[in-house]
Amino acid sequence: MTFNEIILGTSPFIFAPQFGHRTRLYELDFEKQPENIQKILDKSYENGVQKILLNRSDDLELALNMSIQNGNDWEVIGKTNVNQFEEDLKIFSKYNTSTIMLDGFFVDKNIENDDFESISKYLNEIKLKGFVPSIETRTPFKNIPKIVESEIIDEFEEIMLPLNFYGYMMDCNFLTNENKEKIQNLLSTINKKIIANRTLATGILQPKEAYEFISKVDYVNSVCVGVAKVEEAEETFSIINKYKS
């Protein structure tokens, strides 16, 4: 079974550092230019992507507002690093927000410190506010076994993790056949909605080769994909849509 949902990632719009030199180019394209972001959002929506992973950013929020005013009924997954948790929830509540996701840096740091109680606290607050609680991990090989055995396993419904053909930005040297089998086995143990991100390996992979691989990975329900140009949105999502179940 392959994935059945595409989520628009927003890392290029917040100048995430994993893009290397392109991060500076994204800053030049998008900083204080929400209309440039909005055009990409509109094109993505036009190509069937109706859910967005919303990182907090003034320009991104303005762009989302403009896209909604254009008639695009975005469903939002709000992402928080909990530094301004109450303010984040307040902002996300303004949108058609279904889910709140705890950022991977926060989750992984607390797992490393064996502090599942802090993660649990925020997951319960998210649920009490009426949102679907969700987490991200950037180190699935290391942390999925710990998550499965922890008290938080019953406190979230969705998990996002990196997954791509090369194992890029995953916690393995390379996604060898052995590691492919291992990640499949890990995903089978977690029994949650699984969102794969970094599927294009920050642009190293072309969409066709990336999704020929992703479509053969069991247990993935959704993919989260960022694009940085209108033309890129049209090309990328038209290809990825062919692999949806």
Side-chain angles (χ1 to χ4, degrees):
M1 184 186 76
T2 190
F3 64 94
N4 57 18
E5 178 184 65
I6 304 172
I7 300 164
L8 181 64
T10 52
S11 292
F13 309 137
I14 61 167
F15 326 132
Q18 67 259 27
F19 298 107
H21 72 278
R22 282 180 292 151
T23 297
R24 176 55 180 157
L25 299 177
Y26 296 154
E27 191 174 354
L28 292 171
D29 284 343
F30 302 127
E31 187 174 31
K32 300 191 185 310
Q33 300 172 89
E35 65 279 3
N36 290 346
I37 302 173
Q38 173 244 318
K39 290 173 185 175
I40 297 168
L41 266 58
D42 287 354
K43 181 57 70 172
S44 300
Y45 196 93
E46 182 183 316
N47 280 271
V49 183
Q50 299 179 358
K51 186 177 285 192
I52 184 170
L53 182 65
L54 182 59
N55 290 280
R56 289 292 312 282
S57 154
D58 289 344
D59 290 330
L60 178 53
E61 289 160 34
L62 282 170
L64 180 57
N65 293 341
M66 293 160 66
S67 185
I68 292 170
Q69 288 169 6
N70 275 356
N72 299 320
D73 186 20
W74 286 100
E75 181 180 341
V76 169
I77 301 172
K79 192 174 183 187
T80 177
N81 61 15
V82 312
N83 291 338
Q84 295 179 296
F85 185 68
E86 294 300 328
E87 176 65 17
D88 289 349
L89 292 189
K90 185 177 178 181
I91 295 296
F92 296 144
S93 295
K94 295 179 180 179
Y95 299 103
N96 176 27
T97 300
S98 58
T99 303
I100 303 291
M101 179 181 293
L102 297 180
D103 179 80
F105 284 119
F106 168 81
V107 171
D108 292 344
K109 179 181 177 182
N110 280 281
I111 292 175
E112 185 177 354
N113 294 334
D114 199 28
D115 183 7
F116 288 93
E117 187 176 340
S118 292
I119 301 172
S120 177
K121 170 192 166 186
Y122 287 106
L123 289 173
N124 283 308
E125 285 193 48
I126 289 167
K127 189 171 183 178
L128 283 171
K129 296 288 187 181
F131 300 108
V132 173
S134 175
I135 64 172
E136 176 190 26
T137 180
R138 290 174 165 84
T139 52
F141 285 94
K142 177 182 175 183
N143 283 341
I144 287 179
K146 295 180 181 180
I147 291 167
V148 169
E149 295 298 324
S150 75
E151 61 267 31
I152 69 168
I153 190 62
D154 295 322
E155 296 175 350
F156 69 91
E157 297 183 27
E158 304 179 6
I159 181 169
M160 186 168 76
L161 49 89
L163 182 65
N164 58 74
F165 177 79
Y166 289 129
Y168 184 71
M169 299 191 78
M170 298 178 67
D171 55 332
C172 60
N173 290 330
F174 195 78
L175 209 58
T176 59
N177 287 335
E178 180 183 352
N179 281 334
K180 288 176 189 175
E181 183 177 353
K182 186 175 180 181
I183 195 68
Q184 290 249 39
N185 290 338
L186 287 172
L187 296 181
S188 73
T189 67
I190 203 158
N191 196 28
K192 303 288 181 180
K193 179 178 179 180
I194 295 171
I195 304 168
N197 74 334
R198 295 176 178 158
T199 52
L200 299 176
T202 66
I204 295 172
L205 288 162
Q206 293 299 311
K208 187 175 188 299
E209 60 180 335
Y211 278 85
E212 282 181 353
F213 166 72
I214 292 292
S215 66
K216 296 171 185 172
V217 179
D218 293 333
Y219 309 108
V220 172
N221 305 101
S222 306
V223 295
C224 184
V225 187
V227 290
K229 294 182 182 297
V230 169
E231 298 80 9
E232 188 179 330
E234 186 162 25
E235 178 186 3
T236 299
F237 294 129
S238 66
I239 292 171
I240 295 175
N241 275 320
K242 295 175 183 176
Y243 291 93
K244 279 174 60 180
S245 63

